[in-house]
Amino acid sequence: MTGTHLGMPAFPPFPDAAREAVRDGVLRANLRHATHTIRGKRARAVAELADWERLRAAGKAVKDHTLRHLDRYLLQLEASVTAAGGTVHWAADADEANRIVTDLVLATGESEVVKVKSMATQETGLNEALEAAGIAAYETDLAELIVQLGHDRPSHILVPAIHRNRREIRDIFRSEMGGWGRPAPEDLGDDPRELAEAARLHLREKFLRAKVAVSGANFVVAETGTMVVLESEGNGRMCLTLPDTLISVVGIEKVVPTFRDLEVFLQTLPRSSTAERMNPYTTMWTGTHEGDGPSAFHLVLLDNGRTDTLADATGRQALRCIRCSACLNVCPVYERAGGHAYGSVYPGPIGAVLSPQLRGTAGAVDASLPYASTLCGACYEVCPVAIDIPEILLHLRERVVQGGPVTREGVRVRLRPAHGHTAERAAMRAARLLLDHPGALRAGERLLARARRLRPRRLPGPGRAWTDTRELPDIPAEPFRDWWLRERGNRP
Amino acid sequence: MSTRDRILSRIRRATAGAPDAPPVPRDYLRVHGSRTPAETADLLAANLTEYRATVHRTDEDGIARLLARLLAASRTVLVPPALPGHWLASATATRVHDDPASTPYDLDRVDSVVTGCALAIAETGTLVLDGGPDQGRRRITLVPDHHVCVVRVPDQVVDSVPQALERLDPTRPLTWISGPSATSDIELDRVEGVHGPRTLDVVLLGAQ
Amino acid sequence: MRAALFVTCVNDALYPRTGIAVVRLLERLGVQVDFPAAQSCCGQPQYNTGYRHEAEPLLRRTAAAFAGYDHVVTPSGSCAAMIREHYPRMGRRAAEEGRGGGLAELAQDLVPRVHELTEFLVDVLGVTDVGAYFPHTVTYHPSCHGLRSLGLGERPRRLLAAVKGLELVELPGADECCGFGGTFSVRNPDVSAAMGTDKTAAARATGAEVLCGADNSCLAHLGGILRRAGDPMRTLHLAEILAATEEDPLEEDLLEEDPLP
């Protein structure tokens, strides 16, 4: 295999993709409306809990403890799930996970599956792999349905179609639903209620006849083998309870040690993601239950770059992520650039630290992602498991420009500095040399002051990036240190 | 080497030498605030109502009449194996007993379902079903479009999520329900009613 | 009381007025201000771009320049945050790389002595009314590092609210980043400009004459956008407002058009 697959072909560097997005007025308006709507709601939902910071600290600690002893908890999980009637499979990468799922579906003799929204299977590109094997995969989450029908890419973790407004969704439903099954009503309007109703009718025939379902999981409990899926629409319940066979593809970092640990995350996740005290539906199942739900249950445990991420002392905290997407909703860069610019199923701040770790920093977009942030810290502030995203961004910037030790596919290697930073590296070094020699610095400042009347409106070269949209500041007649020498120079 | 062993050995190499993670601080609250049982029931009702469930209150004497009213528009009602017989004594809807051989299509033709619950959580406005004999299989509260859930007050009501988990058995299939089906997928604005039951009636059953 | 001014490289070269304002303000409050000439840049541009090793000599230089001072005051939230948050990390990383504990010791010694200007005024000197006079409408943009890394909270706004003649108007969405972000402003110029334009639009909508901040780098970005748009709103560092008094007002030309001929 060639590097970790995150379900996406090669993408341009972040700044190039973001430029297109910034100029798309409809997209900007859609994102602004959606992120600002959820931002205020989240803040109110969180403010209801006086112990929020303590829950946050507990969530962080549970995840850190689990990751520290991940081998032990995965083995315990395997034993619990098996004892409860499930079957556990292990997948080192996307290809292996897709192969396991495809074989399991083919073994049932079915040629279609219904899917609960799952980041893990988006990451592996499972739908495409199933299609290649002649199996139709139907996304049943409303937003995923919009993305699938629109031949589009997801742009948000929680709301993959966040970049679409109601009118665009109506148009997609009208033109595409018929090709997949029950068509949308001719006179479908753009009221969200009508759109949800159209999705209900379209998907119900698929739910009722489905024999195989594919899901992910929000949490998996090692102690009991209990799987947990949080959702809102009921599509999850449909997939998790009606079919005969259920296949859940789950990243190895999703395990928590005990059933009791859920008391932390079931309080922090809904409030962080949809800003609700509790999401409408949560399903918990443990293996198979006689007479209730699927009679065959398969758990596919997915690595796909996670153990490599775990090997990095600074970067491994990204594995605490519970995919709430609060960091996306507060990120000013995400709000302007949109999710597609991140070139991954994981957009926004968490994507900027997760993708370059899961996939490595060799690709153009992955090398640019650590820089897709102003380091404003809003993401860290809202993260319910206290992932210090700015710290990881800085760490990955260093990896990109300085190189350093990194683990790829289980092997510790030393990365060389990425290409394309030669001029910057030289400039940084020159600046440092100048700044580290106050005599030279003072001479430079005076030179600048003497040339102040030449302050150009547009700079050439890399400086153009500033002056295209902004004036340069005025150059003062003298630097501060000259004023000080003149006015206070008699003092030390 | 199997994939399983490869992943496990990668994990061991990745964490070798890492400092032990500190113990999990459990100083978060077991309950947010202090309430009498009546206040807890009121909070449950308020939170369920905010998420567009319709909350009713009655006692053992009134439940048959209340359920008959809630099911007045239903031609058929699904009945779990051990629903207390007198609850539906006045209902005119035809009772459909859950048959393990029934298909999802059969369930789709039923109008309503009446169940009890394992417990309810006041702080979050959540009902939890655990497949007990007065609740039945998970699918019967999912496919029909109208769910009436009876909560015994105060016995089945807890204040908080931590209290709920203490009382639940993870080996049973658990369904947590907080209001009717909803979505925030269109412009991140919440609208009610997608795939699950679009109407959720909650009956708080206790001394009036 | 004696304090050393860490003016920062950006203020030294481009915003000497801010440094002068800090000196006048602190002297007015009875502080003996020193300016150790060996100071330079804190290393933030290098560190934040990924060149941690290039930032290390600047950590050493900064630590040496301010050795022996009980208080180091800087009119920049982001430079204060660089020292407080990242110097200890740089020290730790150097030790992990087998290069000894020297950097960590320097950081540990320096960090508790460094104060951002508003912290120094409110926490160390214990003043919020600094006797300033500034008869203008002002809105305040709290820069991210001051807001979130340092946790400056209400300090800057309390200082501004106590200024005689000043009318403080709230900036909607104040806690949102302005889009400067150091090298972000040139690496991602489109997103940076979009963020800055939204921020200046929010500031303009308040009707204030002055957009005030406590980080001149953010103000250079926002001021650059305002000036390119021909907007009369001016950007001013908090220190310059706090330094202005009835006897010694801020030179009027700073509130008018481009002071250059």
Side-chain angles (χ1 to χ4, degrees):
Chain A
M1 68 153 258
T2 54
T4 295
H5 180 36
L6 286 189
M8 296 280 166
F11 283 100
F14 182 85
D16 296 347
R19 182 175 309 119
E20 301 301 314
V22 164
R23 289 175 187 167
D24 183 340
V26 175
L27 176 65
R28 281 277 296 280
N30 293 353
L31 287 170
R32 184 178 170 80
H33 172 76
T35 54
H36 284 251
T37 299
I38 195 78
R39 240 178 251 183
K41 285 186 186 170
R42 187 211 74 96
R44 285 191 295 277
V46 165
E48 280 188 2
L49 298 186
D51 58 339
W52 183 260
E53 284 307 318
R54 280 174 275 171
L55 286 166
R56 188 173 181 245
K60 169 182 191 275
V62 169
K63 286 285 188 176
D64 281 348
H65 169 83
T66 315
L67 290 168
R68 177 65 187 81
H69 305 287
L70 191 57
D71 53 337
R72 198 170 88 202
Y73 287 118
L74 288 174
L75 288 172
Q76 190 186 10
L77 172 71
E78 183 185 49
S80 317
V81 169
T82 308
T87 309
V88 177
H89 310 259
W90 300 72
D93 55 37
D95 291 342
E96 190 171 7
N98 292 344
R99 204 161 51 240
I100 291 168
V101 176
T102 306
D103 290 346
L104 288 170
V105 178
L106 291 174
T108 65
E110 295 294 319
S111 60
E112 61 176 34
V113 300
V114 285
K115 282 188 70 199
V116 194
K117 183 173 138 39
S118 130
M119 296 308 297
T121 60
Q122 270 182 25
E123 182 185 320
T124 65
L126 176 66
N127 291 6
E128 292 75 13
L130 288 173
E131 197 185 327
I135 301 161
Y138 298 116
E139 294 291 349
T140 66
D141 169 76
L142 178 52
E144 292 285 4
L145 176 71
I146 296 163
V147 167
Q148 190 174 41
L149 291 177
H151 313 285
D152 201 353
R153 290 193 286 123
S155 72
H156 190 276
I157 290 173
L158 176 73
V159 191
I162 195 173
H163 55 290
R164 299 290 195 187
N165 64 36
R166 57 188 71 190
R167 285 169 298 283
E168 295 172 285
I169 295 167
R170 176 202 55 198
D171 294 344
I172 291 169
F173 278 11
R174 273 191 187 164
S175 65
E176 301 293 333
M177 265 186 178
W180 287 79
R182 180 173 173 147
E186 294 265 326
D187 58 347
L188 180 67
D190 64 7
D191 179 69
R193 251 158 268 278
E194 268 186 79
L195 296 169
E197 175 68 17
R200 177 187 179 94
L201 295 172
H202 176 78
L203 286 173
R204 183 145 291 223
E205 59 179 21
K206 296 189 170 36
F207 290 136
L208 296 182
R209 71 167 185 247
K211 297 282 181 247
V212 185
V214 175
S215 84
N218 296 95
F219 306 99
V220 191
V221 181
E223 167 193 50
T224 57
T226 306
M227 312 279 301
V228 185
V229 167
L230 281 70
E231 52 130 356
S232 296
E233 296 165 9
N235 64 306
R237 293 178 68 193
M238 292 279 180
C239 295
L240 299 170
T241 50
L242 293 184
D244 301 328
T245 301
L246 172 60
I247 305 163
S248 300
V249 183
V250 178
I252 52 174
E253 83 284 17
K254 293 282 170 200
V255 63
V256 296
T258 66
F259 189 63
R260 184 194 174 185
D261 290 323
L262 297 174
E263 72 189 18
V264 176
F265 302 109
L266 290 178
Q267 295 192 78
T268 52
L269 178 53
R271 289 176 200 261
S272 298
S273 57
T274 52
E276 293 162 314
R277 294 187 190 98
M278 191 61 83
N279 49 295
Y281 298 132
T282 295
T283 298
M284 301 183 184
W285 74 98
T286 303
T288 54
H289 299 280
E290 181 67 39
D292 185 352
S295 53
F297 169 60
H298 297 273
L299 170 60
V300 182
L301 292 171
L302 177 70
D303 180 345
N304 207 36
R306 285 160 177 77
T307 50
D308 291 343
T309 307
L310 184 64
D312 189 90
T314 303
R316 66 167 65 115
Q317 58 181 311
L319 296 176
R320 282 186 217 137
C321 177
I322 55 174
R323 310 283 190 263
C324 71
S325 68
C327 63
L328 279 66
N329 297 333
V330 296
C331 178
V333 176
Y334 174 86
E335 181 189 329
R336 275 92 184 171
H340 291 158
Y342 294 81
S344 158
V345 299
Y346 301 112
I350 188 64
V353 296
L354 211 46
S355 308
Q357 295 200 80
L358 295 177
R359 299 193 293 211
T361 49
V365 71
D366 294 310
S368 70
L369 285 177
Y371 293 93
S373 165
T374 62
L375 306 175
C376 83
C379 48
Y380 178 32
E381 194 175 54
V382 297
C383 177
V385 285
I387 300 170
D388 191 340
I389 292 176
E391 184 190 15
I392 312 176
L393 288 167
L394 286 169
H395 179 66
L396 294 174
R397 288 179 185 189
E398 191 181 316
R399 181 179 293 175
V400 169
V401 297
Q402 289 196 345
V406 65
T407 304
R408 297 307 303 158
E409 293 177 49
V411 182
R412 201 158 173 78
V413 292
R414 190 155 193 95
L415 266 193
R416 296 163 60 83
H419 296 294
H421 293 270
T422 320
E424 178 188 85
R425 194 173 298 120
M428 282 294 167
R429 187 167 172 76
R432 195 269 292 165
L433 286 169
L434 180 73
L435 292 165
D436 202 17
H437 293 83
L441 177 63
R442 204 161 61 233
E445 285 172 346
R446 284 177 184 157
L447 204 65
L448 193 66
R450 233 171 285 146
R452 63 195 290 252
R453 282 167 204 287
L454 302 178
R455 183 178 69 91
R457 199 171 149 82
R458 312 268 172 178
L459 285 176
R464 251 194 68 184
W466 180 279
T467 56
D468 271 352
T469 50
R470 291 156 285 207
E471 294 294 319
L472 288 168
D474 292 322
I475 313 293
E478 61 177 357
F480 173 82
R481 50 182 83 229
D482 283 4
W483 175 89
W484 177 270
L485 271 178
R486 204 180 63 244
E487 297 287 328
R488 302 285 193 278
N490 54 336
R491 297 222 307 264
Chain B
M1 194 193 278
S2 71
T3 298
R4 174 180 181 273
D5 292 343
R6 196 156 74 238
I7 291 174
L8 289 169
S9 84
R10 281 182 186 180
I11 291 169
R12 285 169 191 142
R13 272 206 306 280
T15 54
D20 221 355
V24 176
R26 301 278 183 186
D27 57 350
Y28 47 86
L29 302 173
R30 306 304 297 169
V31 184
H32 296 86
S34 130
R35 286 175 285 265
T36 64
E39 287 168 338
T40 302
D42 288 346
L43 181 64
L44 173 66
N47 284 337
L48 279 163
T49 305
E50 192 180 332
Y51 286 150
R52 304 288 185 270
T54 310
V55 177
H56 315 267
R57 293 173 187 249
T58 190
D59 55 17
E60 287 291 347
D61 293 337
I63 186 157
R65 202 166 54 246
L66 173 63
L67 290 181
R69 182 163 66 75
L70 297 178
L71 296 169
S74 308
R75 286 158 304 160
T76 48
V77 56
L78 254 165
V79 184
L83 199 74
H86 66 283
W87 286 7
L88 292 178
S90 310
T92 54
T94 307
R95 287 150 186 71
V96 179
H97 291 278
D98 184 29
D99 173 4
S102 68
T103 65
Y105 293 100
D106 299 330
L107 289 175
D108 197 33
R109 283 189 286 271
V110 182
D111 294 325
S112 299
V113 57
V114 178
T115 70
C117 68
L119 56 81
I121 308 167
E123 288 184 6
T124 56
T126 302
L127 313 168
V128 183
L129 276 56
D130 69 355
D134 61 346
Q135 300 152 55
R137 300 189 295 162
R138 284 174 284 173
R139 59 174 61 191
I140 70 168
T141 55
L142 172 64
V143 182
D145 204 16
H146 177 208
H147 180 193
V148 183
C149 184
V150 180
V151 183
R152 293 178 193 275
V153 178
D155 296 0
Q156 289 187 314
V157 184
V158 299
D159 281 282
S160 66
V161 171
Q163 288 180 345
L165 283 162
E166 281 169 11
R167 281 172 58 163
L168 291 168
D169 176 0
T171 63
R172 305 185 68 89
L174 300 173
T175 304
W176 297 43
I177 299 172
S178 309
S181 162
T183 183
S184 300
D185 281 354
I186 301 167
E187 302 180 7
L188 265 174
D189 236 337
R190 194 176 197 271
V191 302
E192 282 79 25
V194 199
H195 302 296
R198 283 176 293 188
T199 307
L200 175 63
D201 281 305
V202 180
V203 176
L204 303 186
L205 174 64
Q208 288 301 289
Chain C
M1 186 183 295
R2 185 162 162 262
L5 169 63
F6 173 36
V7 76
T8 81
C9 59
V10 165
N11 289 327
D12 182 17
L14 295 174
Y15 297 96
R17 286 185 340 233
T18 297
I20 296 166
V22 175
V23 172
R24 288 185 176 150
L25 169 66
L26 293 183
E27 288 179 348
R28 194 173 79 216
L29 295 171
V31 178
Q32 187 200 322
V33 183
D34 287 352
F35 177 75
Q39 67 179 276
S40 168
C41 168
C42 63
Q44 185 175 197
Q46 289 78 9
Y47 185 80
N48 278 2
T49 316
Y51 299 90
R52 173 167 54 88
H53 292 142
E54 292 292 348
E56 288 178 356
L58 296 168
L59 185 163
R60 285 200 192 85
R61 165 167 294 281
T62 305
F66 296 104
Y69 286 98
D70 289 339
H71 302 289
V72 180
V73 183
T74 182
S76 161
S78 79
C79 300
M82 171 68 196
I83 293 172
R84 198 172 296 166
E85 200 172 358
H86 298 311
Y87 275 18
R89 273 184 193 158
M90 289 168 66
R92 209 160 48 237
R93 292 298 303 278
E96 283 164 11
E97 287 164 359
R99 292 185 288 119
L103 272 189
E105 279 168 33
L106 290 176
Q108 196 184 358
D109 177 61
L110 177 64
V111 166
R113 297 182 287 120
V114 173
H115 315 278
E116 187 274 342
L117 175 64
T118 66
E119 291 176 325
F120 185 72
L121 293 172
V122 176
D123 303 347
V124 180
L125 298 183
V127 290
T128 44
D129 184 348
V130 297
Y133 171 71
F134 190 74
H136 297 281
T137 324
V138 174
T139 192
Y140 177 73
H141 167 62
S143 291
C144 302
H145 288 132
L147 186 71
R148 282 179 277 265
S149 300
L150 300 179
L152 296 183
E154 292 298 303
R155 292 180 186 83
R157 294 223 303 276
R158 279 168 59 202
L159 288 159
L160 284 172
V163 172
K164 202 174 154 198
L166 186 148
E167 191 196 338
L168 184 63
V169 288
E170 287 301 312
L171 177 63
D175 58 349
E176 255 196 65
C177 179
C178 71
F180 171 66
T183 48
F184 179 85
S185 61
V186 289
R187 264 180 194 269
N188 284 281
D190 301 277
V191 177
S192 172
M195 288 166 68
T197 305
D198 290 346
K199 178 64 73 181
T200 54
R204 284 295 291 147
T206 65
E209 298 160 77
V210 174
L211 172 56
C212 171
D215 262 287
N216 272 330
S217 42
C218 303
L219 293 179
H221 163 71
L222 295 172
I225 289 172
L226 287 166
R227 282 174 63 176
R228 177 58 57 86
D231 199 299
M233 180 173 234
R234 309 314 285 172
T235 51
L236 264 185
H237 193 284
L238 178 82
E240 295 175 55
I241 291 176
L242 297 183
T245 59
E246 274 173 289
E247 301 73 41
D248 191 6
L250 193 71
E251 297 125 81
E252 271 305 309
D253 64 351
L254 292 181
L255 282 170
E256 285 159 13
E257 276 308 290
D258 189 347
L260 270 178

